[in-house]
Amino acid sequence: MWTLPRTRFAHCNGSSSSDEKEIAVNIGGVRLVLCGDILNRYPDSRLAELVNCSTRSFDVISSLCDDYDPGKREFYFDRDPDSFKCIVEVYYFGEIHMKRGICPICFIKEMEFWKIDLSYLDECCKSNLTEKEEELAEIADKVKLILDDLDSDPDVSRNERWQKFVWKLMEKPESSLPARVIAVVSFLFILVSSVVMCLGTIPDLQVEDSEGNRVEHPTLDAIETACIGWFTIEYVLRFASSPNKVRFALSFMNMIDFLAILPFYVVLVLTYLGTAMMELVNVQQAVQALRIMRIARIFKLARHSSGLQTLTYALKRSFKELGLLLMYMGVGIFVFSALGYTMEQSHPETLFRSIPQSFWWAIITMTTVGYGDIYPKTTLGRCNAAISFLCGVIAIALPIHPIINNFVIYYNKQKVLETAAKHELELMELRALELAVRSASRRSDAPGNAWEGALRASRSDTFIPLLSGAHRTEREPVKKKSLT
């Protein structure tokens, strides 16, 4: 038996009326004696209702607890005693702190059972609850996406069925073997296109056109055209099969894909129609400028690399640390470039012509690059360079650990979410199969027919209702046992 301190409430001690209002509750085998005056501080709670229900019928009492012993005036609850130890603190201290190791979602359900408002939960515990709810929501989204891929609704039209098939083929390599083959082929086309773009800049591999200008070799140009054709077909198929075309077009990675193929067609327009129709004098310069945009296709590799995606998301979550890094570097560059310009003015062969020109020296010094094209020649200038170098190392090193920590946390979180989603699917399949076997065994006594019916039921839409109304599947209710 464990009790909370009651000495701080004098009106609960030494009074016969208080003793009459005392109740004993048994939470999961742990007995606790509570003072009725304290419980009445929150009259809408379940415990306060138990204090004031002595004159009511046994049915009313049974609706508030799992079992009741009139002789001992003891109420039995098949609930978590650890969670109740935290919840009962609200009657004594006016707030609730959730202990470490308790599931936040289960704790909220315990609070709802005891009819305690969530506003009494401390702010630090609310943040943990919010984080856990976000994780469960992400798990539910992953599970729902997998179930949508497995779902084959016979009521959908042929066009919708083909649209979904093409979308899975182009966007989800893990869905089937052809989808994985397409992902590998797309990856190879990206590598070939990047290599061709680099080889096209080698002078020995270039040829002269009719006007004497150096252009890419026709073979490399043909390979580039084939790669652009693949990228175009891939983008068109993905856009046509997308369930939300506006969201697809505004996605960052899809915008990268569009920018990777856009220069090719703009170059065609400028080459064949630009000089004649628009009378552009520097068409070739515009073509070369647009060809530089082809480097954007290297970012297409992020679509096929989970590591690059994790790095991108980790950098997004590290904007604050990156902002601090830029602020430190900006202040240091301005200060040390101004000091370097001032200290080097006395030297006749100074390389610091102006403060803006000194910015370049401060940048390469604080980032420990040191090209040597600009360097101080006076003693004070060299001391300033040494200090700027040390400050640059410190400024860069300070935010690095939080950025790496964010990457590790996000990477581990994604692994945990993927594992949890797989376990959730396995649990749902087992329960659906168990329910199917039970229902099939009632219809037929033959084991073969029961197993066949179970397989048919396991392929049906028995998974979707498990996700409705909660982020994860609910546990089956435990049968209540009498504790008397």
Side-chain angles (χ1 to χ4, degrees):
M1 173 179 173
W2 54 272
T3 59
L4 288 173
R6 297 169 53 223
T7 57
R8 58 188 295 184
F9 304 102
H11 58 277
C12 292
N13 299 326
S15 172
S16 60
S17 60
S18 300
D19 294 338
E20 291 178 358
K21 287 188 176 181
E22 282 185 351
I23 62 172
V25 293
N26 192 307
I27 313 297
V30 180
R31 189 172 185 271
L32 173 66
V33 177
L34 299 173
C35 178
D37 294 337
I38 301 300
L39 300 180
N40 284 327
R41 292 182 173 186
Y42 300 93
D44 296 332
S45 63
R46 184 179 292 268
L47 292 176
E49 293 179 0
L50 286 176
V51 173
N52 303 317
C53 71
S54 59
T55 58
R56 300 180 185 177
S57 63
F58 184 79
D59 295 336
V60 177
I61 298 178
S62 299
S63 64
L64 296 175
C65 61
D66 296 327
D67 203 352
Y68 175 60
D69 187 352
K72 297 181 180 180
R73 191 171 162 71
E74 186 172 350
F75 302 91
Y76 295 88
F77 296 90
D78 189 11
R79 311 299 298 186
D80 182 18
D82 294 331
S83 298
F84 182 77
K85 291 179 183 180
C86 302
I87 294 174
V88 78
E89 291 181 355
V90 71
Y91 297 98
Y92 291 85
F93 309 113
E95 61 181 5
I96 299 176
H97 287 273
M98 183 173 53
K99 293 183 179 179
R100 182 176 299 178
I102 298 178
C103 176
I105 303 300
C106 296
F107 189 79
I108 294 303
K109 292 180 180 179
E110 291 291 324
M111 291 184 64
E112 293 174 354
F113 174 80
W114 297 109
K115 299 182 181 180
I116 302 296
D117 193 80
L118 296 179
S119 60
Y120 294 106
L121 191 63
D122 193 73
E123 293 297 330
C124 62
C125 302
K126 288 182 180 179
S127 61
N128 295 334
L129 174 63
T130 303
E131 181 180 355
K132 182 63 66 175
E133 287 179 342
E134 292 176 355
E135 292 181 0
L136 293 178
E138 292 180 7
I139 294 176
D141 292 339
K142 290 180 179 293
V143 172
K144 194 172 186 308
L145 287 176
I146 298 175
L147 293 181
D148 290 340
D149 294 340
L150 298 176
D151 181 27
S152 57
D153 191 357
D155 297 333
V156 299
S157 62
R158 179 177 298 179
N159 293 333
E160 293 178 348
R161 192 179 298 111
W162 272 104
Q163 180 180 357
K164 189 173 183 179
F165 173 76
V166 175
W167 175 256
K168 291 168 55 178
L169 198 65
M170 305 302 299
E171 280 288 327
K172 300 180 179 181
E174 69 280 357
S175 61
S176 62
L177 179 60
R180 286 193 289 270
V181 172
I182 291 178
V184 172
V185 172
S186 179
F187 181 80
L188 293 177
F189 267 105
I190 295 173
L191 291 181
V192 170
S193 177
S194 302
V195 172
V196 168
M197 181 185 66
C198 297
L199 294 178
T201 58
I202 300 177
D204 296 339
L205 298 180
Q206 294 178 345
V207 296
E208 295 184 357
D209 58 4
S210 57
E211 299 179 357
N213 298 319
R214 305 290 296 182
V215 295
E216 293 184 0
H217 196 277
T219 303
L220 298 179
D221 197 18
I223 297 175
E224 173 72 12
T225 303
C227 294
I228 291 297
W230 170 265
F231 297 149
T232 304
I233 295 174
E234 181 187 30
Y235 184 85
V236 170
L237 289 177
R238 291 172 56 235
F239 180 78
S241 60
S242 173
N244 190 340
K245 293 180 173 52
V246 176
R247 182 179 178 182
F248 176 89
L250 298 179
S251 175
F252 176 75
M253 293 308 304
N254 294 329
M255 292 174 65
I256 293 295
D257 294 343
F258 181 76
L259 292 177
I261 62 178
L262 179 63
F264 178 82
Y265 297 102
V266 176
V267 167
L268 288 181
V269 173
L270 293 178
T271 302
Y272 295 103
L273 302 177
T275 305
M277 299 181 61
M278 293 181 288
E279 298 180 358
L280 296 178
V281 180
N282 298 323
V283 173
Q284 291 298 328
Q285 295 180 359
V287 167
Q288 293 299 327
L290 288 171
R291 283 180 178 272
I292 298 300
M293 293 179 60
R294 293 185 300 175
I295 62 176
R297 70 188 57 173
I298 197 66
F299 294 104
K300 289 169 62 69
L301 293 175
R303 294 184 59 249
H304 306 282
S305 174
S306 59
L308 291 177
Q309 294 176 6
T310 303
L311 178 61
T312 302
Y313 291 133
L315 291 178
K316 287 182 180 179
R317 300 177 68 93
S318 303
F319 277 158
K320 183 178 179 180
E321 290 78 8
L322 293 174
L324 290 175
L325 174 61
L326 294 178
M327 185 187 69
Y328 295 155
M329 295 298 296
V331 172
I333 289 169
F334 182 82
V335 171
F336 292 113
S337 60
L339 291 176
Y341 170 76
T342 304
M343 294 174 181
E344 290 294 312
Q345 286 302 299
S346 60
H347 198 281
E349 298 179 358
T350 180
L351 299 176
F352 294 78
R353 305 299 180 183
S354 63
I355 292 181
Q357 186 181 8
S358 302
F359 286 167
W360 170 249
W361 168 83
I363 292 173
I364 62 177
T365 301
M366 293 190 68
T367 55
T368 69
V369 177
Y371 288 116
D373 52 347
I374 301 177
Y375 56 91
K377 297 183 178 181
T378 64
T379 303
L380 291 178
R382 290 170 181 171
C383 293
N384 177 61
I387 296 175
S388 64
F389 167 77
L390 295 176
C391 292
V393 172
I394 296 174
I396 294 176
L398 285 178
I400 291 300
H401 183 267
I403 295 175
I404 296 176
N405 190 41
N406 289 339
F407 176 82
V408 173
I409 290 176
Y410 187 84
Y411 181 80
N412 293 334
K413 180 181 177 181
Q414 293 303 311
K415 293 296 183 182
V416 170
L417 291 178
E418 292 177 1
T419 304
K422 293 179 180 179
H423 290 172
E424 193 77 10
L425 283 172
E426 294 175 358
L427 180 61
M428 293 165 63
E429 290 178 358
L430 289 175
R431 290 180 176 174
L433 188 60
E434 181 181 359
L435 292 175
V437 169
R438 290 178 181 176
S439 60
S441 61
R442 295 192 187 100
R443 294 192 299 266
S444 175
D445 294 332
N449 294 335
W451 184 252
E452 183 180 357
L455 292 178
R456 286 198 304 268
S458 63
R459 298 191 185 104
S460 63
D461 276 342
T462 55
F463 303 115
I464 300 299
L466 296 177
L467 287 176
S468 60
H471 293 308
R472 61 178 179 176
T473 55
E474 298 288 344
R475 295 182 298 176
E476 294 183 359
V478 181
K479 295 183 178 179
K480 300 176 181 178
K481 298 180 180 180
S482 177
L483 299 177
T484 56

